[in-house]
Amino acid sequence: QVQLVESGGGLVQPGGSLRLSCAASGSIFSIRDMGWYRQAPGKQRELVARTTSGGSTNYADSVKGRFTISRDGAKNTVLLQMNSLKPEDTAVYFCNIQTHQWSYWGQGTQVTVSS
C-alpha cells in the first residue's frame, strides 16, 4: 500500500551536484524518522542522512558539510541535496521511512560520480 519512489539519480562528474527526492504515495502514520541510505559496490549499506519528526538530523561523517537532508511533510517528501560529489559517493541510494511498527524502503536510485 505504501510506495516510496526516488528520483534525481544519475551520472555526474566529480565536484558536481545532485538532488534526490523521495515521495511516499500512500498514507503513513506515526513516522519516527526519514532518511537516506546507500550501498556501494563491495560495501555494506550505510546511513547517509536521517531526520526525525522533531527536526533533528544526523549525517555520516563522510558527507557532513556536503549533503543536506530536508522534509516536506505536506507532500510526504524527503530530499537529499548532494554537493561536491566524489567518486566514493557512487552507490545505489535508498529512501527509508521508519514508523513505530514498520520500516519502508524505496527501490533505490543509482548515483554514479565519474569523469
Side-chain angles (χ1 to χ4, degrees):
Q1 290 183 291
V2 175
Q3 184 177 11
L4 276 55
V5 180
E6 302 104 332
S7 63
L11 175 65
V12 64
Q13 66 182 29
S17 298
L18 287 173
R19 171 177 270 197
L20 304 184
S21 177
C22 173
S25 62
S27 297
I28 303 178
F29 303 95
S30 301
I31 295 175
R32 287 185 175 180
D33 53 64
M34 306 176 71
W36 290 91
Y37 295 73
R38 68 186 181 188
Q39 187 165 17
K43 297 183 64 178
Q44 296 182 350
R45 186 173 63 183
E46 65 176 348
L47 173 69
V48 178
R50 181 183 65 185
T51 181
T52 70
S53 60
S56 299
T57 58
N58 187 38
Y59 296 91
D61 288 341
S62 60
V63 307
K64 287 182 179 178
R66 299 189 298 119
F67 291 10
T68 303
I69 189 170
S70 61
R71 298 174 63 174
D72 186 343
K75 299 180 179 180
N76 294 320
T77 299
V78 58
L79 306 173
L80 184 69
Q81 179 66 45
M82 305 186 295
N83 299 325
S84 302
L85 284 162
K86 305 175 181 179
E88 51 263 44
D89 294 318
T90 296
V92 177
Y93 285 70
F94 298 91
C95 176
N96 170 257
I97 296 179
Q98 181 68 46
T99 71
H100 177 69
Q101 298 183 4
W102 303 104
S103 183
Y104 301 94
W105 294 91
Q107 67 180 25
T109 184
Q110 177 71 47
V111 172
T112 301
V113 185
S114 176
S115 61

